[in-house]
Amino acid sequence: MNEEDVIWDRLLQDFVSLPPTLFPTSAGPPTTPSPTIPDSPTLPPSSEQPCGISPTLRSELLTNIAEEVSGGPIIAGTYQERALNWLIGQDEFFVCPDNPKAYQRYILAAFYYATDGDNWAECSAPTSFDDPDAIAAANANCDIITTPIPGGNLNPLFLPTTQGDKAWLTPVYECEWAGITCRVETNCVDRIEFERNGLGGILPFELKDLDDLRFLILERGATQGTIPVEFGDIEDLVFLDLDFNQLEGTIPDQIYSFTNLVQLDLNNNLLSGTISPLIGNLRNLIFFQVSENQFTGAIPPEISQLTSLVTGSFELNENLSGSLEGLCESITSKPSYTLIADCNPLGPGLPPGFNAVVVRPVFQVYSVALHREMHNT
């Protein structure tokens, strides 16, 4: 059973009591309906006055939106400028400033340029935004699909969503871009998901204004920089999966405010600093991986408050110390679990009923997988 299966299995067993207002169940089988687009671009009343306003005023109003989201004047040479220039002058969808989704479209364009979208493995923007052949070629090189939530309406995380399958920055509603799912009820982004798609650059803090975002899954890329502290504003987040990138810096304290977080997967990066005692706030956390980073200091005793945890991985860090005794007591009560940490397999302290299996030696410290012996009696 892989890590995602463990998480979904636990959720389907109603192991975690999730707030009904955040994760309502829905009647009927899981579906991926076609998007309704109440906020489609405003049709221009005349070719001289698109959106009913002058091109200059439209540019000014879209610039105001970008500056509001990005927190100040748009600086030349930045990903924000590229996103704004595309929105104003190259986007054939031609969004009008009074369209509420103009904010969302700018944010996703900023994400595209911030993560070096032109060099993604697939689903990059067309080489020409107004050439039907270029758009068709871009869509032909786009096979990314998001992972469906198993269990349908029986899963507390299930919400009816649409799923995109088009290349990015093509002249369609942004919820139709691949790697994106949007909630049917609001047409707002629910998930951004990419794995092994060559994402680079940095994580744009503008994602903070995607109010309905619950899943941010950007695995196995080359994204650098830090985890933006502004991500703490994404109140509905339940999955934050950024493993196998090149992220640096610390885990922002704001991340520990995600009391509904189910998965925090940060392994195989260049993250450093300590694990904050605020980790104890994440009472619904099922999956927590920080292995193969550069964390130091003591694992806080508050880690034992993660009573929902099924998978924990701490091994191969710079100098991470401390006790997992309280966590061991909690996690081993689960029907299935994984706990991996650096410790001496010959030393004392392993709980009864465990085998210490040496995975590999590292500087005279061993990565040890703790497996409980399960017997049918």
Side-chain angles (χ1 to χ4, degrees):
M1 182 177 288
N2 61 35
E3 62 191 52
E4 286 81 8
D5 291 337
V6 170
I7 294 169
W8 295 127
D9 182 67
R10 182 58 56 197
L11 285 168
L12 289 172
Q13 292 179 43
D14 200 24
F15 181 81
V16 181
S17 178
L18 296 171
T21 55
L22 266 183
F23 313 117
T25 56
S26 303
T31 60
T32 304
S34 301
T36 57
I37 310 176
D39 300 313
S40 56
T42 306
L43 293 176
S46 71
S47 58
E48 290 78 18
Q49 296 292 320
C51 300
I53 57 178
S54 70
T56 299
L57 181 56
R58 175 179 178 270
S59 176
E60 291 176 355
L61 293 176
L62 289 177
T63 299
N64 290 342
I65 289 173
E67 291 180 343
E68 179 183 345
V69 172
S70 295
I74 302 301
I75 300 172
T78 61
Y79 68 82
Q80 292 98 337
E81 183 194 40
R82 296 185 69 188
L84 178 59
N85 286 344
W86 169 81
L87 188 65
I88 292 173
Q90 298 174 294
D91 183 11
E92 291 293 304
F93 195 67
F94 206 87
V95 67
C96 294
D98 61 349
N99 185 336
K101 293 299 185 289
Y103 287 83
Q104 179 169 274
R105 198 164 181 87
Y106 167 73
I107 293 168
L108 291 182
F111 172 82
Y112 177 83
Y113 286 114
T115 59
D116 196 18
D118 288 342
N119 291 308
W120 290 354
E122 53 181 309
C123 300
S124 293
T127 55
S128 175
F129 294 109
D130 59 356
D131 180 355
D133 290 337
I135 293 169
N139 286 331
N141 185 37
C142 185
D143 294 321
I144 291 174
I145 58 173
T146 55
T147 306
I149 296 178
N153 63 326
L154 298 178
N155 192 316
L157 293 182
F158 174 76
L159 287 174
T161 58
T162 63
Q163 178 172 281
D165 60 0
K166 302 294 193 297
W168 278 59
L169 307 191
T170 50
V172 295
Y173 185 47
E174 61 271 9
C175 287
E176 296 183 53
W177 295 342
I180 297 291
T181 68
C182 289
R183 301 190 192 186
V184 170
E185 183 178 0
T186 63
N187 290 305
C188 293
V189 174
D190 182 70
R191 181 190 311 205
I192 303 175
E193 180 178 354
F194 289 99
E195 182 174 1
R196 300 181 187 273
N197 197 43
L199 273 66
I202 62 173
L203 298 173
F205 66 86
E206 285 85 357
L207 295 181
K208 66 182 172 56
D209 284 331
L210 295 177
D211 293 335
D212 286 354
L213 185 65
R214 296 187 302 153
F215 300 86
L216 183 57
I217 304 172
L218 308 174
E219 299 182 273
R220 297 181 181 273
T223 307
Q224 301 179 356
T226 60
I227 301 173
V229 297
E230 292 86 354
F231 279 11
D233 294 337
I234 312 175
E235 296 180 354
D236 284 4
L237 204 65
V238 293
F239 268 54
L240 181 58
D241 191 344
L242 306 173
D243 64 4
F244 291 93
N245 279 286
Q246 299 172 23
L247 297 171
E248 300 177 332
T250 62
I251 301 176
D253 283 350
Q254 290 80 358
I255 300 300
Y256 300 112
S257 67
F258 296 146
T259 55
N260 296 296
L261 200 65
V262 169
Q263 174 167 325
L264 180 56
D265 194 358
L266 303 174
N267 62 281
N268 292 83
N269 277 285
L270 303 172
L271 297 168
S272 59
T274 60
I275 298 174
S276 170
L278 296 173
I279 187 70
N281 294 336
L282 305 181
R283 301 298 178 86
N284 285 317
L285 199 64
I286 294 175
F287 191 94
F288 181 49
Q289 283 198 150
V290 290
S291 55
E292 301 203 40
N293 279 285
Q294 298 174 9
F295 289 109
T296 59
I299 297 174
E302 287 81 2
I303 200 79
S304 64
Q305 297 173 17
L306 303 183
T307 55
S308 299
L309 201 68
V310 172
T311 296
S313 178
F314 304 86
E315 79 278 12
L316 299 176
N317 274 284
E318 187 75 18
N319 188 17
L320 200 57
S321 61
S323 172
L324 294 175
E325 182 177 357
L327 183 61
C328 283
E329 294 176 359
S330 170
I331 202 170
T332 57
S333 65
K334 311 299 192 305
S336 61
Y337 57 85
T338 302
L339 180 59
I340 306 176
D342 290 332
C343 55
N344 186 342
L346 302 179
L350 293 181
F354 281 79
N355 283 335
V357 180
V358 176
V359 178
R360 52 178 162 167
V362 179
F363 302 117
Q364 299 182 0
V365 178
Y366 294 86
S367 178
V368 178
L370 304 178
H371 299 274
R372 189 168 187 170
E373 293 181 332
M374 308 295 292
H375 300 284
N376 294 323
T377 57

